[in-house]
Amino acid sequence: MLNAAGHEPPIADEPAPDVRVLESRELVAGHVWDIRRDRLDFGGTVLERDYMDHPGAVAVLALDDADRALMFRQYRHPIAHRDWEIPAGLMDVSGESGLLGAKRELAEEADLQATEWSLLLEMFLSPGGSSEAIRVFLARGLSEAVHEFVREGEEAELEPVWVPLEDAVAAALDGRIGNALTVGAVLAAAASKAAGWTTLRDPDLPWTARDRVRGERSR
């Protein structure tokens, strides 16, 4: 579809205020997320959809002065793998911004802090079945962070590895790493680097995508 100037408009996700939720109820209350069932008015037809009501998450692609990315392997029970990941975590602190959440996760999972923060990428990880919205931040100017967080469970075995960005990209394209968040982050970073980092955005931009998702966990 052409705009008024006769050009194709840039592609962009759009909110759907015309789809009205008639009823929403919780089917399963989980430790981290819930399962909800919504009845919705879609084009004059009543539909019923189940989905994971997720609090949202943040992730950090931390790059050192040699453009090496901080990664580690973490056990993930649903997939029965230790997959390669970047620091990430839930938006489960009330009133916390995405940037503050990213800073917290980088310290808790990697014992690092950064002086340079940029918004690299925004994603809906599984929009057909989950309300999870995630922001990926680029962190540079790294140094050791002091905190009191004690890593437990799967996080207790995290061991950081510094991977050259081009090696991480190759691993993604070769199919050797499959975590969607990690793959998206390293490919986005490589594309941004090739563009002279001109695609990076203000890390404090309003997170409107997360504000509009369904469910209660992100409120």
Side-chain angles (χ1 to χ4, degrees), residues 101-123:
K103 290 181 177 181
R104 173 174 55 80
E105 290 296 338
L106 183 61
E108 291 177 353
E109 293 196 351
D111 304 322
L112 291 174
Q113 58 187 352
T115 58
E116 301 176 43
W117 288 88
S118 304
L119 177 58
L120 176 65
L121 191 63
E122 289 187 281
M123 305 171 71

Side-chain angles (χ1 to χ4, degrees), residues 137-151:
F137 295 86
L138 181 71
R140 294 178 289 187
L142 305 171
S143 62
E144 184 178 350
V146 177
H147 60 88
E148 298 180 354
F149 182 77
V150 177
R151 291 189 282 270

Side-chain angles (χ1 to χ4, degrees), residues 159-199:
E159 294 184 6
V161 177
W162 291 97
V163 181
L165 183 59
E166 59 270 25
D167 291 354
V169 169
L173 297 179
D174 289 347
R176 289 181 279 117
I177 60 174
N179 181 287
L181 176 56
T182 304
V183 169
V186 299
L187 293 180
S192 186
K193 181 181 178 180
W197 301 112
T198 57
T199 66

